Amino acid sequence: MIRSLVAPVLAAGLLLTTACTDNTAASGDARTMSVKASDTACEVSSVEAPSGTLTFKVTNEGSKINEFYLLGEDGLRIVAEVENIGPGLTRDLVLSAPAGTYFTACKPGMVGEGIRGDFTVTDSGEDVGPKGEDAELVAEADKQYASYVRDQVDQLVTKTEQFATLVKERKDDEARAMYADARVHWERVETVAESFGDLDPQMDAREADLEAGDEFTGWHRLEKDLWPARAEGYTAMTDAERATVADKLVADTATLYDRTRDMTFTASDIANGAKGLLDEVATGKVTGEEEYWSRTDLWDFQANVDGAKVAWEGLRPLLQRKDSALDGQIEKAFASLQALLDKHRDGEGFVTYDKLSEDDIKQLADAVNTLSEPLSKMAGAILS
Amino acid sequence: MLANFLIGLREGLEAALIVSILVAYLVKSERRSDLRYIWTGVGIAVGISLVFGAVLTYGPKGLTFEAQELIGGTLSIVAVAFVTWMILWMATAAKGLSRTLRGSLDEATRPWSLVVVALLAVGREGLETALFIWAATQAAARDTGATLQPLLGALLGIVVAIVLGYLMYRGALRINLSVFFTWTGAFLILVAAGVLAYGIHDLQEARFLPGLHTIAFDVSHVISLDSVVGSLLKGIFNFSPVTTVLEAIAWVSYVVVVGTLFVLRNRAAHRPAATPVPQGAAS
Ligand SMILES: [Cu+2]
């Protein structure tokens, strides 16, 4: 009898070591709220916090025994509570909360519905951790996606170096042939690359998006010099100018390489990344704005879709458990988008954007939206 | 002061009563030497609770609500198993006692079981109580607006709980053994049923079990938990003014099943009264 009961005791004890969570950091931390509870009021210092591990420091300034609750959107589900807040005491409620709408409630005298207030948890991108088997699936998805990112950036480094050399040596035909092929690796992990706010504008800014005074560098600067046909009154770059931009691009790519080596991804990172890639398609590629000079938008289009597909595939085991209908919807939408894209293949690559009819573009845009819609629900489904 | 006193009383009472019954039983059955197992269990529980409570309060790490609730809920249900064992064991031991064959059955496991029962009785709500005590200590030690009142109230509540436990022990010593078994057994069944219901409530709150809002009855407007009566009922029987259906079912099932077992065992214990019965054991 003893032995059979020791196990749960040990398991509970183990929880103490595994389920620990960081105690409150410095005050002023957006995830730490103070709560002044009295017999008649319940003042929370902030009505909003970013998702993650939240701490409510509840001080009972009244005379009755108080309790503090965080309730779910329905006002019924107890997300977390702390009891036994005697008069004069401050007790901490520590919990991990995903983004959503909540209610705070103090219960002076431990009766009734409590004194309620609205509380919002915003999405900080921080994953609040699925548990158990889900956690393993998330870890697996992270492993897969991280290695995909490393592999793509790896290839990007090699091809960018080759491309830069060709540009500097003014082997323009070869450089033009290489351009889209090299950029594919960037576009496949574009949302990750864009997460580095300093690198992205230097490497991938489009001239049309530049603010006055911004320097035009990176991929698209070289693109313009290689395909100046659509540029009116364009002055070609000098050798020195080309070398500066090309070397900078190589150096930035090396930095990107270093930074992606030990990156890890939460389930919501991956899911939101997939959605982000589709947004890239919708805003830049379908419209033919991304590769304005080279008209190689469909290469980028395909690469963004590739990246989103890999992200989704990594999450599939988890998604199928949580919402297999949604997974099926995504699968179908990927297939029809791919079928449509395949119509515009030309040899190793694609036709240029100017070969697309308005109807083609409309069809592509519709297919992107059809995929975007269920894909945007993936993060929510996984984290629920 | 009164409010903190009531929390201390409420949190300490149940443990004090279970331990005092155990002690009374051992003393009455002349097994004072086994008392050390009880005190070992109590000591371990108090020590672990205070240390973990301090680490979680003052250290860099806190415990998430879910984890705390899971620990509390699981320990409650494990504690019920052990208290149930204690009830039935004492009923069976009464039989052994009446034949002066005391303590030959499971001598090997008994000391350990005593340690574990005492440990669980005290440790079940030990972490919550320790967190409460340390919060009161913080209130007494903070830079501005320090107040000793909560800490004094809390400690006084626990002391009174222990005194009540002691009084129960003294009372138990006076009554004869048969009455002792019948009453403590019945009493412990109600206590354990309350602990079971409470553990289920904990797990419902943490959503490991459903039905938190399927309420069997709500008398919170009549018996408030921050009243003396409410605190005593809560402290002794884990009475909850708002009880869920699942809690109620668990409570009733436990009382019926264990109560029946207890009555059957008790009867069996007193039936072979053909041999001369030792002093105090006659029914
Ligand atoms: Cu771009």
Side-chain angles (χ1 to χ4, degrees), chain B residues 35-49:
Chain B
L35 283 181
R36 60 199 153 122
Y37 298 118
I38 306 284
W39 300 131
T40 305
V42 171
I44 292 174
V46 171
I48 290 179
S49 299

Side-chain angles (χ1 to χ4, degrees), chain A residues 1-2 5-6 8-9 12-13 15-17 19-24 53 59 63-65 67 69 75-96 108-112 131, chain B residues 3-4 6-7 10-11 52 56-57 59-71 74-75 78 81-82 85 109 112-113 120 127-128 131-132 135-136 138-139 142 147 150 198 205 207 212-213 220 224-226:
Chain A
M1 173 160 199
I2 287 184
L5 285 168
V6 163
V9 177
L15 263 171
L16 275 171
T17 48
C20 270
T21 180
D22 281 330
N23 250 350
T24 56
T53 301
T59 303
S63 62
K64 294 180 178 170
I65 300 172
E67 295 177 338
Y69 292 81
L76 294 174
R77 185 171 63 91
I78 296 177
V79 178
E81 59 157 350
V82 56
E83 298 169 341
N84 288 339
I85 314 170
L89 299 193
T90 300
R91 296 202 53 184
D92 291 354
L93 176 60
V94 184
L95 68 135
S96 51
M110 299 172 284
V111 281
K131 295 169 185 79
Chain B
N4 287 303
L6 288 176
I7 298 176
R10 164 153 64 78
E11 295 294 315
F52 268 129
L56 294 171
T57 305
K61 296 274 179 183
L63 196 63
T64 58
F65 161 76
E66 291 87 348
Q68 198 184 333
E69 214 72 347
L70 187 58
I71 292 172
T74 310
L75 278 184
V78 177
F82 267 81
W85 165 81
T109 58
W112 269 110
S113 308
L120 285 171
L127 183 62
E128 171 58 21
L131 288 171
F132 165 66
Q138 276 187 323
R142 69 185 158 216
T147 166
Y198 179 86
E205 284 187 331
R207 278 172 286 131
L212 183 61
H213 298 283
S220 58
S224 157
L225 272 188
D226 64 350

